Structures are given as structure tokens and as C-alpha cells.
Amino acid sequence: MKILFLSPLPPWPLHSGGQIRVYHLLKALALKHKITLVCYVTYDEDQGIRQELEKICEKVIVVRRRFKPWTFNALLKTLFSTKPLLMNIYDLGKELAAFSDEKDLIYCECFYLMDKIGKTSTPILLGEQNIEYLAYERYLKDMVWYKKIVMWPFAQLDLLKMKYWERKMWRKADRLATVSEADRDIIAHDTGRKDVIVIPNGVDTEKFKARETKINNKTILFIGEFKWFPNIEAVEWLVKEIFPAIKKEVADAKLLIA
């Protein structure tokens, strides 16, 4: 098939979980299909990104994002928009509309890019890396008090917009894919859809092979990208609650956070 693939991030270099997931989806799809990739960047186009991705994609279109989140211009645009901040920071690439009807399938990674596609007869497969409104809801709940004072009214309105639009895109997509069964069940419950599939994250078993060792190393390794707040929350939980319980059982255990 000829597939138009939309990604909110350039899937190279592999700095975050989202980038790694998209890169390997593209790599697997490209074995049998021709991919036109549209990805967004927040900085001037890096030729290294294009060159690397053109090894697996037939065509790569890099669109520069006009807004950064939580900047004055982005907030102002969102204040007078029916769409949430997350959707407003991505502009429609001029090249995108021209490609939609020429393809056999549109794969849209994350709901907040779906409104950029416009009207098309091409079927859309929406891949959700997270249930974004639930992640946002949790972020607002854990926001420090002085930020809440300033941002609370805007943030609550933005959350309502996000919840509306995310569910709307779930219903609009021809097929839906999630990373986990838990997310699949939430979407199925909210929409009544029974055709949601799970495409789980995995590991390159050729690159990372288990090996026997005589070293009695009792070190736990936690790897995470800490611009993504759920990773911060996870490592705090690990340090404060889980690791102390391990230390009670294994006194010489160590924890390494990378």
C-alpha cells in the first residue's frame, strides 16, 4: 500500500519512547509498503533527520511547528479556539492536503493530528500512544499550588476541550490502535467500539540478548526520558515506595536511574 504516516515528533534521533515506537512502526511497515512520512519539528529542519528517515521511507516531509506549548501565542490562540492547546500547537502542513487522497491508508499517530488531515476518502488508522486527556487530568491534579492559582481556570477548560476532541477522533477514525490493553478497554468503554487493536511496545531481541553471568549484581536499572511527566511520577514512586521495600529484603540492592 501507499501509506501517509503522520507523527507529532521526528522519529529520529531515538531520544524518547514515542520516537522509538514510531521509528520501529515505520521500519516494519516499510518492509511491505511505501511510506510518505509527515513529521513535525520545533526547530530548524535538520538534514540528518531527513537523511536517516529516507532510508526507510519513500518520502519525508518535515513541518516546523509554529507554536511551543504554554507560550503566550499558543495560549492566546487556544483561548479563542474550540480546540485544546495540544491540537493548536500543530499547524497544517501545506503538503499534507495534497497527499491524503493519493494514498491507500493514512496512519495518524496521536489524535491531535487528525484534524490536520481534512476531508478525505482515504481510510484512517489512529494510533494512540496514551489516553491524553487522562494523562493531562493527572498532570493538573499533581500541579504545584502556585501554578494552579494562575492556570487552573484555563487548564480545566482546556481539559474539557481535549476530552471532547479525543473522543470525537476515536469515533471518526476507521480503525484504532493502542499500546496497552488497558487503553484499549477505556476507548472501547467510551465509544462502544469493539474493533480496537493493541500494538504493544517491544524490544529488539537481536540487539539486546540475555546472557549468563557469574557476577552477583543486585542493581536495578530504571531508564526513562524525564521530559515526560509520567516517567517522573513513576521514578518517584519507585524511589519512595518500591525500592525501600526491596531494601528490606535485599540489604545490598542498588538503584541506578538513567
Side-chain angles (χ1 to χ4, degrees):
M1 292 188 294
K2 294 179 181 179
I3 300 175
L4 176 63
F5 196 111
L6 275 64
S7 172
L9 291 170
W12 188 269
L14 305 180
H15 285 162
S16 69
Q19 290 173 303
I20 293 169
R21 176 176 174 83
V22 170
Y23 177 80
H24 285 285
L25 285 173
L26 289 169
K27 195 174 178 181
L29 286 169
L31 295 174
K32 295 183 179 181
H33 311 289
K34 293 181 179 180
I35 314 295
T36 296
L37 171 67
V38 177
C39 60
Y40 288 79
V41 295
T42 55
Y43 43 84
D44 290 330
E45 181 181 340
D46 183 343
Q47 290 298 321
I49 292 173
R50 184 187 293 276
Q51 290 170 2
E52 190 64 37
L53 296 173
E54 282 178 345
K55 293 177 183 178
I56 55 177
C57 298
E58 186 177 49
K59 185 173 179 123
V60 178
I61 300 167
V62 178
V63 182
R64 189 176 181 186
R65 263 170 45 187
R66 194 155 52 113
F67 298 116
K68 292 182 179 179
W70 303 109
T71 59
F72 176 78
N73 288 338
L75 293 174
L76 185 64
K77 181 180 179 181
T78 300
L79 190 63
F80 295 98
S81 171
T82 60
K83 296 176 182 178
L85 178 66
L86 192 57
M87 294 176 78
N88 282 323
I89 61 176
Y90 293 92
D91 291 327
L92 174 65
K94 292 180 181 178
E95 303 92 339
L96 191 56
F99 282 111
S100 295
D101 288 332
E102 298 175 4
K103 304 302 178 183
D104 300 307
L105 176 71
I106 300 171
Y107 190 116
C108 184
E109 187 76 352
C110 303
F111 88 92
Y112 44 87
L113 296 185
M114 260 189 71
D115 67 321
K116 312 299 180 280
I117 298 168
K119 291 185 178 180
T120 180
S121 57
T122 306
I124 300 171
L125 194 161
L126 171 60
E128 284 280 70
Q129 293 185 2
N130 309 282
I131 306 295
E132 297 292 346
Y133 78 79
L134 289 177
Y136 193 23
E137 192 173 55
R138 193 174 186 93
Y139 172 72
L140 296 180
K141 181 181 177 183
D142 295 338
M143 186 183 283
V144 293
W145 66 269
Y146 57 86
K147 285 187 177 181
K148 281 185 179 180
I149 292 173
V150 177
M151 296 299 300
W152 195 250
F154 174 87
Q156 286 301 307
L157 178 60
D158 199 47
L159 175 60
L160 290 174
K161 292 179 185 179
M162 182 182 290
K163 192 171 186 178
Y164 168 80
W165 278 97
E166 188 162 21
R167 287 174 164 178
K168 180 177 180 176
M169 295 309 179
W170 291 348
R171 294 183 176 92
K172 182 179 178 181
D174 295 281
R175 289 300 298 270
L176 278 157
T178 64
V179 178
S180 69
E181 293 182 1
D183 284 358
R184 177 197 61 192
D185 294 344
I186 290 169
I187 293 176
H189 177 268
D190 283 3
T191 63
R193 296 186 66 153
K194 301 186 184 300
D195 60 347
V196 184
I197 60 174
V198 177
I199 305 175
N201 288 330
V203 64
D204 186 340
T205 54
E206 290 302 312
K207 188 174 182 179
F208 301 99
K209 291 185 177 180
R211 57 188 175 87
E212 293 184 7
T213 176
K214 295 179 180 179
I215 300 171
N216 186 21
N217 192 340
K218 299 174 183 177
T219 302
I220 298 169
L221 173 63
F222 182 99
I223 302 174
E225 197 268 335
F226 296 108
K227 290 180 181 178
W228 179 229
F229 74 89
N231 286 345
I232 299 172
E233 187 178 54
V235 82
E236 286 178 347
W237 185 33
L238 174 60
V239 169
K240 293 176 182 177
E241 297 187 37
I242 298 174
F243 192 61
I246 292 172
K247 289 285 283 184
K248 288 181 181 179
E249 300 292 328
V250 185
D252 56 345
K254 296 178 181 179
L255 174 62
L256 176 61
I257 300 167

